Amino acid sequence: MNIAKVIVDVPASSTNQTFDYMIPDKFTDMLAVGMRVIVPFGPRKIMGFVVDITSESTFDKLKSISDVLDVVPVLTEELLELGKWVANETLSLSITALQAMLPQVLKSQYKKELVRLTEGRLPDDMEYLFAGRDYIPYEEFEASPISYYQLQKLVQAGEVSIDYLVKSRITKKKVTMVRPAKEMHLLEEALADLAKTAKKQRQLLLYFIEFEKPIEQQRLLKEIQTTTSTVKALVEKGLLETYQQEIMRNPYNDDEFKRTAPLPLTEQQQKAIDPIDEAIEANKHDVFLIHGVTGSGKTEIYLQAIQKVLSKGKEAIVLVPEISLTPQMVKRFKGRFGSNVAVMHSALSAGEKFDEWRRIQRKEVKVVVGARSAVFAPFENLGIIIIDEEHETTYKQEDQPRYHARDVSIHRGQTNSCPVLLGSATPALESYARAAKGVYKLSTLSERTNHKAMPKVDVIDMRNELHAGNRSMFSRTLKEKIEQCLEKGEQIVLMLNRRGYSTFVMCRDCGHVKECPHCDIALTYHKNSNQLKCHYCSYEEKVPQVCPECSSDLIRFFGTGTQKVEETLTTLIPQARVIRMDVDTTRRKGAHEKLLGQFADKKADILLGTQMIAKGLDFENVTLVGVLTADSMLHLPDFRSSEKTFQLLTQVSGRAGRHELPGEVIVQTYTPEHYSIEMASEYNFNDFYKREMGMRKAFQYPPYFYLALITVSHENHVKAVQTTQQIAQLLLKNVGNNTVVLGPTPSPVPRIKDRYRYQCMIKYRNEPHLRKYINKIKTIFADDVRKNNLLITVDMQPYHMM
Ligand code: ADP
Ligand code: ZN
Ligand code: ZN
């Protein structure tokens, strides 16, 4: 067994395979699958992952592995398999799929060092190497005669660790520890000798006589209720000693979270959790969909299901959309499970993320709460995966590998024989359709736990405002309600639905939006050519001068920014104190929390923001929610736009009246009759589902059809069109009669960085070999890709068409 199969870090299709390397003697005892190595590759030395170790190779004359980067595998065997699956599903390179599972720190070159963790004696040669130091450069180890195998054993025993110098050492967190400096019987003697008046000193000594182990100084002081001078006095007597110890950067202070106990479940909650508990008990994979209105107690179900998993000694992954990963959310999990929870949040520094990841790897935690990529947490005894707000499109990664965390979760659930739990107030159509067919198990929570009704939604027709001479973006009703709220000292959340800024054309008189006659999707305004285009079927027309419906000349592009709204608001209602939250005001790290904190402290009356304020926020004093332009998303060139509008309106409505005070919602729109707005205002998911399913069926979209999107880009316009055309033709030759191949069509953003982009969309129901065809096509163009700077990207589950 002296040959390693390695996937090398060269992201190209020509190297998308394993390469064989000899394992030098010094590594044979310790090298394992899942470790990173450095190997010679052509003239260079590069990183690679060991995916297999064998004794045979079809090649003679193999090169040798130059170096091993890990002594403990960074990828488990399950994750290596999963990487293969992800690469295959998403048609991405193996190396890209593997890299996606690791924290950033492990992807770059950082200096390493060996850190002593134990106070006990290390083996002689290691003790010699450390020579009294707490940490040494990794190179010193490499230059020493100590074997990698020996180091590996020490790391596994937790006596030393290999650290990455992500930041300079000075910023690493250290704490002062206190420990006995003498043997116990000597401490006892000293205690007898201590003056009775030295009460605190006696207490301190007693503590160590009782517990016999080191403790963090700060905790000790808190426990004994004393100051450092007491410790100092005992240190001077030679009874105790203090030393510095490095600690993991745990970004959350676990002591701060008040522990919560499981709540007695409501009848609906109990009915929903019973089958999940059974699946956990039986180690059985199943997908559960909990359709529960906001405030119906879904999170409590997650918590209790996790409890069950932990009691079986297993682990849990909880995925939450990045935006919802608020301190409030973290508190609920840390409150229940304390330091057993790791949090993977993009706002953490690279070092913090790495530490959280390592806490999982070292089995120091059993629960991870995190955004999309936490689905790759290196647990080895997984008992459940939970996806909150499962309809959120942020679960789809928009870079290679273009995976959907829901699919990855279900795959891991199958591999680990454990349940996967999806939860949402507005499930994705795809998920609900699967539940309706019995593929997923559905539970419905129709009531809020506090038995309060959902807030009443008032839909305001903005065309009437215009006709009444009100050209402002605030309807008279909304203005009035805001003023009433201010008088009562209550707070307001205003949402501006800004996505789709300036991209569609709408008549301000009658609300008419130009749509494609073949696709039922809004046409997109192209400024350069002054054309309206459909991004699904290439249909185009000139921008009309007057509205084709009502002949008004008030037809224009639609969109407003939050800044503009803020200005209007301050002239309209000068007494209102406004906090604006959008991409601009939340760019800086921590700004998001700070603004929300200010709002919670009632330093402002109105929280004005984009969709980022729709999610997960819970303020007692908010009684009014206003949506300024409910329809701006409706006309995006995206077949999911009705669904997204429905979801967003439902979600933002849930922000009002969550506590004692009753809430109210005002939705302003130019298209009040649109079914997504009408049904969202009635919280009528079931009718919306039926209606939208009908549309999807008629226009051949998911969940009735699968989609695949191939995007071609090149500096030369003609080359981009021609290549896409060739691809479409090649596909048409292979696919079945019922499969639709559309294109070449210009991408919604037709040129990025001087590259022209064209796309080809495939709609299919049953195409078992589609991935094979596409791969074949990719090899046909491989030369062009390599030599002529052609780019072909494939998305097997496109969400983001813009
Ligand atoms: P969701 O996740 O569906 O929005 P939550 O789990 O956040 O709902 O529950 C909403 C509120 O109801 C929370 O304040 C929660 O503490 C409370 N709650 C949840 N379950 C119960 C229960 N069984 N009994 C009493 N209160 C509950
Ligand atoms: Zn009109
Ligand atoms: Zn069209």
Side-chain angles (χ1 to χ4, degrees):
M1 301 291 263
N2 59 347
I3 291 162
K5 296 199 173 287
V6 177
I7 289 182
V8 294
D9 186 11
V10 181
S13 54
S14 53
T15 50
N16 192 28
Q17 60 179 88
T18 57
F19 291 87
D20 293 356
Y21 287 92
M22 294 294 299
I23 305 172
D25 286 346
K26 61 176 173 176
F27 298 132
T28 41
D29 289 342
M30 56 79 64
L31 191 71
V33 162
M35 288 180 184
R36 296 167 307 149
V37 290
I38 299 289
V39 292
F41 195 81
R44 295 179 296 155
K45 287 201 169 177
I46 57 170
M47 197 276 284
F49 290 94
V50 176
V51 294
D52 201 4
I53 294 178
T54 73
S55 48
E56 280 168 38
S57 172
T58 45
F59 303 92
D60 27 84
K61 275 212 136 178
L62 294 180
K63 290 184 188 165
S64 287
I65 288 174
S66 325
D67 205 354
V68 176
L69 292 176
D70 309 299
V71 298
V72 177
V74 291
L75 290 170
T76 62
E77 305 229 359
E78 187 215 340
L79 289 180
L80 286 172
E81 277 305 311
L82 184 65
K84 245 192 229 170
W85 181 83
V86 167
N88 183 53
E89 279 296 300
T90 63
L91 297 180
S92 51
L93 303 171
S94 300
I95 187 70
T96 318
L98 295 180
Q99 296 274 37
M101 303 182 179
L102 293 177
Q104 194 60 38
V105 169
L106 293 179
K107 295 175 209 168
S108 348
Q109 298 286 330
Y110 286 98
K111 241 180 117 54
K112 284 192 292 188
E113 56 184 22
L114 226 51
V115 180
R116 180 194 194 107
L117 295 178
T118 176
E119 295 303 323
R121 204 172 155 74
L122 295 169
D124 282 351
D125 40 4
M126 196 52 97
E127 203 61 70
Y128 203 69
L129 186 67
F130 272 101
R133 294 169 294 176
D134 287 338
Y135 53 90
I136 57 170
Y138 191 74
E139 293 82 34
E140 283 192 29
F141 158 75
E142 288 178 302
S144 78
I146 301 173
S147 76
Y148 282 81
Y149 180 70
Q150 202 180 344
L151 174 64
Q152 182 179 41
K153 290 288 155 228
L154 289 173
V155 170
Q156 282 165 349
E159 306 204 310
V160 297
S161 80
I162 300 169
D163 273 12
Y164 291 81
L165 289 184
V166 181
K167 295 187 221 153
S168 71
R169 177 151 272 290
I170 300 127
T171 63
K172 273 202 169 180
K173 261 222 175 115
K174 287 199 168 189
V175 290
T176 305
M177 302 287 292
V178 189
R179 67 182 167 206
K182 293 219 163 93
E183 285 171 47
M184 279 311 129
H185 68 97
L186 294 176
L187 288 194
E188 280 166 21
E189 272 173 33
L191 179 68
D193 290 344
L194 263 180
K196 288 272 178 292
T197 47
K199 245 171 118 181
K200 288 292 169 187
Q201 288 190 31
R202 297 177 63 90
Q203 262 180 293
L204 262 184
L205 271 187
L206 266 171
Y207 176 91
F208 285 104
I209 291 167
E210 187 176 341
F211 294 105
E212 294 188 27
K213 60 176 186 202
I215 178 174
E216 195 181 316
Q217 178 165 286
Q218 238 175 344
R219 265 187 59 194
L220 179 66
L221 298 182
K222 214 160 140 191
E223 212 138 295
I224 314 274
Q225 295 281 312
T226 184
T227 59
T228 42
S229 60
T230 321
V231 178
K232 248 195 211 140
L234 291 173
V235 169
E236 273 159 22
K237 292 189 178 117
L239 297 171
L240 299 181
E241 59 189 18
T242 59
Y243 61 99
Q244 300 288 306
Q245 190 174 71
E246 196 177 304
I247 54 156
M248 292 281 214
R249 287 158 293 221
N250 181 348
Y252 300 96
N253 183 357
D254 293 334
D255 294 339
E256 267 174 30
F257 298 99
K258 262 243 278 321
R259 292 302 280 263
T260 61
L263 299 167
L265 297 178
T266 65
E267 212 172 294
Q268 286 193 329
Q269 281 174 318
Q270 193 62 50
K271 247 182 96 186
I273 203 172
D274 281 343
I276 301 167
D277 278 349
E278 274 166 34
I280 295 171
E281 203 49 64
N283 300 322
K284 185 164 169 284
H285 169 70
D286 242 325
V287 182
F288 297 91
L289 175 63
I290 300 187
H291 175 210
V293 297
T294 29
S296 60
K298 294 185 291 296
T299 313
E300 184 62 32
I301 293 179
Y302 305 158
L303 292 169
Q304 298 199 15
I306 294 170
Q307 187 89 56
K308 176 98 183 167
V309 164
L310 296 185
S311 76
K312 291 200 70 193
K314 295 196 171 190
E315 297 137 353
I317 295 176
V318 185
L319 302 182
V320 244
E322 188 73 59
I323 296 191
S324 313
L325 202 47
T326 56
Q328 284 175 339
M329 192 64 158
V330 172
K331 199 166 120 192
R332 296 195 66 179
F333 287 89
K334 290 255 185 185
R336 195 64 58 88
F337 306 115
S339 55
N340 216 352
V341 181
V343 178
M344 298 281 231
H345 190 280
S346 74
L348 301 182
S349 71
E352 287 169 336
K353 272 187 222 157
F354 178 55
D355 283 349
E356 292 293 276
W357 180 84
R358 216 159 35 156
R359 269 151 42 88
I360 302 168
Q361 196 204 23
R362 288 181 179 165
K363 315 234 170 331
E364 293 170 1
V365 295
K366 286 194 176 300
V367 182
V368 61
V369 180
R372 182 176 60 228
S373 63
V375 72
F376 297 118
F379 282 131
E380 289 183 273
N381 201 5
L382 206 48
I384 197 167
I385 304 178
I386 296 168
I387 308 185
D388 189 29
E389 313 267 12
E390 68 88 30
H391 63 277
E392 281 292 329
T393 51
T394 56
Y395 287 125
K396 166 73 194 308
Q397 166 140 315
E398 290 302 338
D399 277 329
Q400 289 286 24
R402 296 167 200 271
Y403 67 91
H404 197 299
R406 195 198 291 127
D407 300 336
V408 177
S409 299
I410 292 172
H411 189 76
R412 282 196 88 176
Q414 286 164 347
T415 319
N416 288 278
S417 293
C418 74
V420 172
L421 176 50
L422 313 175
S424 174
T426 51
L429 237 63
E430 283 94 331
S431 300
Y432 204 78
R434 285 204 180 134
K437 273 171 59 182
V439 181
Y440 298 167
K441 306 228 161 2
L442 179 70
S443 309
T444 308
L445 306 177
S446 55
E447 273 186 47
R448 285 180 153 186
T449 54
N450 60 7
H451 302 290
K452 291 232 154 58
M454 295 300 285
K456 183 177 164 298
V457 180
D458 208 352
V459 178
I460 306 289
D461 188 342
M462 290 304 276
R463 291 168 304 190
N464 294 343
E465 294 296 310
L466 202 64
H467 293 150
N470 175 15
R471 292 192 165 242
S472 146
M473 55 186 98
F474 288 86
S475 62
R476 293 158 294 173
T477 316
L478 182 55
K479 178 171 182 279
E480 229 164 76
K481 296 272 182 194
I482 292 176
E483 284 164 341
Q484 283 168 10
C485 247
L486 291 177
E487 266 164 40
K488 285 187 280 185
E490 294 169 0
Q491 287 173 296
I492 300 141
V493 166
L494 284 184
M495 189 184 72
L496 175 73
N497 196 347
R498 205 179 56 156
R499 249 187 256 156
Y501 182 56
S502 268
T503 49
F504 65 97
V505 168
M506 185 172 82
C507 170
R508 291 203 61 179
D509 263 325
C510 74
H512 177 74
V513 171
K514 283 299 292 182
E515 291 190 346
C516 174
H518 307 293
C519 303
D520 195 34
I521 269 166
L523 292 170
T524 301
Y525 173 60
H526 285 237
K527 197 169 169 220
N528 293 342
S529 55
N530 201 31
Q531 293 268 34
L532 294 175
K533 291 188 185 172
C534 171
H535 289 149
Y536 287 85
C537 73
S538 329
Y539 172 85
E540 60 180 62
E541 63 177 51
K542 269 231 145 352
V543 176
Q545 298 295 315
V546 294
C547 173
E549 285 294 309
C550 74
S551 305
S552 158
D553 60 356
L554 273 177
I555 182 157
R556 44 200 60 148
F557 336 114
F558 207 71
T560 354
T562 36
Q563 215 168 345
K564 180 100 181 296
V565 178
E566 190 183 12
E567 284 166 25
T568 316
L569 195 57
T570 38
T571 20
L572 206 64
I573 311 172
Q575 71 273 30
R577 297 167 302 162
V578 183
I579 287 182
R580 175 162 66 91
M581 220 164 92
D582 55 24
V583 223
D584 297 328
T585 62
T586 55
R587 195 164 289 140
R588 290 207 8 232
K589 191 181 159 184
H592 196 247
E593 273 90 71
K594 204 170 136 214
L595 292 177
L596 292 179
Q598 287 172 355
F599 190 63
D601 292 342
K602 305 195 182 149
K603 297 208 171 94
D605 309 299
I606 300 179
L607 180 65
L608 164 69
T610 47
Q611 18 283 84
M612 69 170 68
I613 63 173
K615 320 253 157 82
L617 305 180
D618 188 357
F619 298 106
E620 288 182 29
N621 198 38
V622 171
T623 55
L624 177 65
V625 166
V627 181
L628 289 170
T629 43
D631 17 26
S632 64
M633 205 155 61
L634 215 43
H635 310 295
L636 288 183
D638 179 350
F639 69 89
R640 287 192 177 85
S641 61
S642 298
E643 185 183 3
K644 285 184 185 162
T645 300
F646 181 88
Q647 289 165 346
L648 191 64
L649 289 181
T650 309
Q651 220 153 28
V652 75
S653 301
R655 297 306 116 217
R658 286 177 64 96
H659 298 270
E660 285 314 305
L661 300 167
E664 207 178 342
V665 181
I666 305 273
V667 171
Q668 301 190 154
T669 171
Y670 288 90
T671 45
E673 67 284 354
H674 192 282
Y675 62 98
S676 66
I677 292 177
E678 205 177 279
M679 288 164 183
S681 71
E682 292 159 357
Y683 302 98
N684 189 346
F685 178 83
N686 290 335
D687 282 351
F688 172 77
Y689 171 75
K690 283 186 204 132
R691 180 79 180 258
E692 184 66 15
M693 285 295 273
M695 302 292 275
R696 300 289 178 87
K697 192 170 186 183
F699 293 101
Q700 305 187 322
Y701 279 119
Y704 290 97
F705 277 69
Y706 295 104
L707 296 183
L709 183 71
I710 303 180
T711 305
V712 176
S713 84
H714 196 262
E715 293 132 7
N716 184 304
H717 194 165
V718 178
K719 174 93 187 162
V721 186
Q722 273 176 354
T723 309
T724 320
Q725 176 108 41
Q726 283 165 340
I727 289 175
Q729 276 162 357
L730 284 167
L731 277 169
L732 272 173
K733 256 192 231 152
N734 287 295
V735 296
N737 287 337
N738 298 324
T739 297
V740 184
V741 178
L742 298 169
T745 320
S747 286
V749 188
R751 194 172 62 149
I752 293 180
K753 288 188 187 156
D754 288 320
R755 295 177 68 91
Y756 292 89
R757 304 166 77 236
Y758 276 79
Q759 64 188 35
C760 168
M761 170 91 76
I762 306 145
K763 293 178 171 182
Y764 63 100
R765 290 198 73 144
N766 186 18
E767 236 13 290
H769 302 300
L770 185 61
R771 285 180 172 78
K772 214 176 71 198
Y773 301 147
I774 295 179
N775 268 332
K776 227 164 101 194
I777 291 173
K778 278 170 84 176
T779 44
I780 293 175
F781 290 97
D783 262 359
D784 244 0
V785 167
R786 208 152 25 92
K787 294 189 197 132
N788 300 328
N789 209 3
L790 183 76
L791 203 65
I792 301 175
T793 55
V794 182
D795 195 337
M796 294 307 290
Q797 206 173 351
Y799 271 78
H800 204 69
M801 321 271 177
M802 303 286 291

